[in-house]
Amino acid sequence: MLLIYCPYCQEERSELEFRGAGDAHIARPTDIASISDEAFEEYFFLRNNPKGLIFERWRHMNGCGRFFNAARDTISDKFIKTYKAGEPKPEIGTAAVPHTPVETYEAAVVEDNRDGDAK
């Protein structure tokens, strides 16, 4: 299970309590009704899907219900930092995002089963 730190509740909670809400720190049109269809398509539908560090909005649905931002590594799925909505985008160097194998619960169970410790 993935644990996510909520900066408002100030505790780690199960990923099941959270919902992703798209990219963080995107420039939103000031008057969306007046932009062209092409500009709306660019803003609303087209997003980059980079490999590595990304900044996202998340919502603690089954907790405080508030939106916050997170820096997450898409390779390891590790949350590098979470911070309150409205705070500036933090400076995070590439050294903070190690790309080591991710240990999962499923991998640990398989390994235990090989040793005869079925759980």
Side-chain angles (χ1 to χ4, degrees):
M1 169 180 19
L2 183 64
L3 295 176
I4 301 173
Y5 180 81
C6 176
Y8 294 102
C9 297
Q10 297 183 357
E11 63 182 347
E12 288 186 329
R13 303 297 299 168
S14 164
E15 65 184 297
L16 302 175
E17 293 188 13
F18 298 89
R19 298 291 180 272
D23 293 345
H25 307 289
I26 58 173
R28 291 174 169 78
T30 54
D31 183 11
I32 202 161
S34 67
I35 64 174
S36 69
D37 289 344
E38 292 78 17
F40 180 79
E41 175 189 30
E42 179 78 23
Y43 157 71
F44 197 76
F45 296 109
L46 304 179
R47 295 281 184 257
N48 291 330
N49 189 16
K51 184 176 184 179
L53 181 66
I54 61 170
F55 292 88
E56 303 170 309
R57 287 173 38 116
W58 284 79
R59 186 171 183 201
H60 193 179
M61 296 292 293
N62 295 14
C64 62
R66 298 181 78 175
F67 284 94
F68 62 91
N69 294 329
R72 184 175 65 86
D73 180 22
T74 60
I75 297 170
S76 67
D77 207 24
K78 179 181 178 184
F79 281 74
I80 308 301
K81 179 180 178 76
T82 59
Y83 53 102
K84 295 178 179 178
E87 291 181 359
K89 185 176 184 178
E91 293 292 327
I92 298 176
T94 56
V97 187
H99 294 120
T100 56
V102 177
E103 183 175 333
T104 63
Y105 170 78
E106 293 81 7
V109 169
V110 169
E111 190 63 35
D112 286 345
N113 287 340
R114 288 184 191 151
D115 297 336
D117 298 333
K119 295 181 180 170

